[in-house]
Amino acid sequence: MLKFNNDIIHGAIFDMDGTMFDTERLRFQTLKQASQELIGVSFSDAYLMACLGLSASSAHQLAKQQYGDDIPYAEIRQRADELELESVRSLGVPIKKGLVQVLERLRKSGLRMAVATSSRRLIAEEYLINANVYKFFDVLVCGDEVQKGKPHPEIFLSAAEKLNLPTSECLMFEDSENGITSAYNAGGVTILLQDIKEPNSNMLAKTDYFFESMYDCLHQLDQHTLNLEMPTLQESFPQSLNQLTVGIHGFGAIGGGFMAQILSHWDGYTRPKRIYASTHNSLYRSAVNAFGSYCIRYGQLSYDERIENMHIIDAGNIEQMQEMYIASSMIAVCLPEQAIATEARTIAQGLYARHIANNEQFTNPLTVLIILNKIGAKHLLLEHVHSALVEITAPDIAEQILEQHYFCDTVVNRMVSKLTDQNLYRQLRIKYNIFKQYQLDHDLDHADIEDATRLNPEQERLASMYVEEMCSNFKPSHILQNMDLILFHAEVDMPIYVENNSPLLGKMRQMVLVDDIREIQLIKNRLWNGVHAMTTWYATRLGYETIGLAMTDQKVRQFMEGLLEEVKVGLTLTLPHRKNDLDDLAKSFMNSCVNAYKDPCERVARDPLRKLTASERVFGSIACNIQHDGLPYQHLSQGAVFGYCYAIEQNAVSYDEALEHLEIQLAQSELNEQHQRCLQQHIEMHLAQLLPDKHKIHNSQSVPTPKQAEYNLT
């Protein structure tokens, strides 16, 4: 929060061109050159000045008025983009002096940050990444993502909405008349920074604060920002190496975005000499190995933490996987539940290979951290690994192998999201173009990229080419050393709770060792995982793509608050000695969700039927509250309904399959028959209300008896 004169400020929204970057002059030059090339006439300064702050469609209409209806505006703009990008890739983005200082000050004051630019996302992302300021912003709203461009207020209204803030609590930075009009009409606290155009009386009338330069703005901010306390240094990874090799079986969100950081800090004095990490994703594998490192982005702090000394191996290459299991002292198994059955074979082969490599002597035990979002994770993993072991060795040997090693259950209270292949592809493309410009070679043509989860064949070919060429040209002190690859978005540091079952764990810095992990697992499963899933099922139904954006909706926020309260009262009766912990964890969880702008709902909402099993996070909480007479469960039962809706609408589960699943899970629960029947009727009734079309199809498949028909009507 920032008290800026008489305004209480919680957010800042920046225009890009002309405000953060001195690109308006560059854009004038490129548009003049492009128009001269294509129509033989350079755009006039008067026309270009009139276009400042306009959307592409509005500028097109103005061009028609001045240069005729047949003007090839789209081609001129595309050529200007090419010329501008050539300049930016060669010379870098011309940043306004004082910008980074202003961004740093606003971020450290606790403000949420957004960019609202008329530029297309393709251009905006490249500029922000090139200028190394993308990390300061939670939200990016671009001209090709709104219906009405500036001076209409839509783009600022959209940015404030995504930040979950009223516009009156947002500083809005602009440089043009159309831009300041847009910010003014949006109801923001307007800040005008002088650029090309001298401000006129109309602009100043809509401006709360006018500064001739970013440094003037910085000076004003300096009067209103608090003096910071004694600093705590951003603690780097230990510089010295120990003699240990460790592994991560599953280079996903938790494996790459959390465990890699924990293993790199180790005990604070040393770090492992080598960290293996396995993945089936060839793009991630080749990219990390080419760059030699990658980064985890902590958006709340605008901080990127670099992970080095990682060796990414092919999860499908059994020889490489066996090497990891033979060489490692500790392995973190970071796998989704649905992958356990298949990956257990690889784990079994790795453990058996380790047994053979040690001359079949039961020495040198391995510590296995089981990182799975599930109560009873260790039992599940050991069951599958044991079955796989007895297929390749004698049962007694299989038993002895499992008994030799330390298997430790864990609980992770940290939200991490992995970037999609498309996001990684965009990074590679941008960095490759910078690299090629550095090499004074030709530039690459590129097309707009849709943010999907998979690459098309041409993108896969180009991505491989990017990685190969960059890798082959990488040398010490080369430009690529400063081209960090962002792979994961994470929240600020949180501990990992680990079952105290191995002597190797004693000095691990971020591990909280507990003798009975089941209590922590129960709390995590119901208070975090369950509420998280139910909220995203609801949010997805409302059309939200990320958790942070969903939390801007008061309905979603109130639903989550209701869920947390219902889960807390049930857990308090079950674990009365954890009451204070429950309050703290609930607050921490809510805060994490509010700031999870980069965490897709799809990541958390996936596999709903598994999460709706009898003993799992949803029905476990419902059964707990029903069995304690008088405890509320309205929000929880509604959450179950949203889960079945998600399964039907997003996972192609039929209505009949959903009802059958519900009936089976309730039959397997600890509820008595009366409670089962009431809960089933309640869920089915609300499901029919939310999916009336599916319900009609369901009813048409079996003609109801008069008695059944009467019940359906009631």
Side-chain angles (χ1 to χ4, degrees), residues 180-442:
I180 206 71
T181 301
S182 175
Y184 175 80
N185 290 337
V189 179
T190 56
I191 294 180
L192 180 64
L193 295 161
Q194 185 171 326
D195 189 45
I196 292 178
K197 193 172 184 178
E198 192 80 24
N200 55 39
S201 58
N202 184 48
M203 295 169 67
L204 294 172
K206 299 173 182 177
T207 299
D208 293 309
Y209 304 97
F210 169 67
F211 302 107
E212 292 185 354
S213 71
M214 194 69 75
Y215 277 127
D216 291 340
C217 178
L218 178 65
H219 178 72
Q220 185 70 14
L221 282 172
D222 191 46
Q223 312 305 309
H224 299 280
T225 50
L226 299 174
N227 292 331
L228 296 178
E229 299 177 355
M230 189 71 67
T232 55
L233 294 177
Q234 187 67 55
E235 198 166 341
S236 61
F237 294 136
Q239 299 302 298
S240 57
L241 303 179
N242 56 43
Q243 295 305 302
L244 298 178
T245 294
V246 296
I248 300 172
H249 190 145
F251 187 70
I254 293 298
F258 183 52
M259 287 309 303
Q261 180 250 336
I262 288 180
L263 296 176
S264 296
H265 274 299
W266 200 252
D267 62 356
Y269 301 103
T270 61
R271 55 190 171 95
K273 65 179 180 181
R274 191 168 204 182
I275 303 176
Y276 286 100
S278 67
T279 179
H280 290 284
N281 190 315
S282 60
L283 181 58
Y284 272 68
R285 186 170 62 250
S286 57
V288 175
N289 288 336
F291 279 78
S293 66
Y294 68 93
C295 282
I296 303 167
R297 174 155 291 171
Y298 297 93
Q300 291 167 267
L301 302 176
S302 300
Y303 169 65
D304 297 340
E305 185 166 56
R306 181 184 291 179
I307 306 295
E308 298 177 320
N309 203 34
M310 293 283 292
H311 182 61
I312 312 299
I313 63 175
D314 183 0
N317 187 316
I318 191 60
E319 292 182 356
Q320 292 182 6
M321 295 298 292
Q322 288 176 346
E323 180 184 351
M324 179 176 74
Y325 273 85
I326 292 171
S328 298
S329 298
M330 178 187 295
I331 290 180
V333 178
C334 308
L335 299 170
E337 183 179 345
Q338 58 270 27
I340 292 296
T342 53
E343 291 296 318
R345 299 188 185 93
T346 302
I347 297 172
Q349 289 175 315
L351 294 175
Y352 186 69
R354 184 184 183 97
H355 177 60
I356 298 298
N358 289 329
N359 297 315
E360 302 187 7
Q361 299 297 309
F362 293 98
T363 59
N364 191 21
L366 174 68
T367 297
V368 181
L369 303 180
I370 304 163
I371 302 171
L372 182 63
N373 234 357
K374 184 178 179 66
I375 296 174
K378 182 164 78 171
H379 176 76
L380 176 66
L381 180 73
L382 289 177
E383 186 177 46
H384 283 287
V385 173
H386 179 267
S387 297
L389 273 171
V390 296
E391 293 180 3
I392 58 179
T393 188
D396 60 327
I397 300 296
E399 293 283 353
Q400 291 173 359
I401 289 175
L402 293 180
E403 290 175 1
Q404 177 197 6
H405 304 297
Y406 302 110
F407 292 88
C408 307
D409 248 332
T410 68
V411 172
V412 175
N413 281 352
R414 189 195 227 177
M415 298 178 194
V416 184
S417 59
K418 178 178 162 183
L419 270 70
T420 65
D421 285 359
Q422 288 289 341
N423 280 323
L424 176 54
Y425 175 79
R426 283 201 292 271
Q427 283 192 76
L428 288 171
R429 189 195 65 228
I430 291 169
K431 296 176 191 305
Y432 177 77
N433 286 330
I434 296 171
F435 164 72
K436 292 303 290 182
Q437 196 66 50
Y438 176 84
Q439 295 289 79
L440 300 177
D441 207 339
H442 62 86

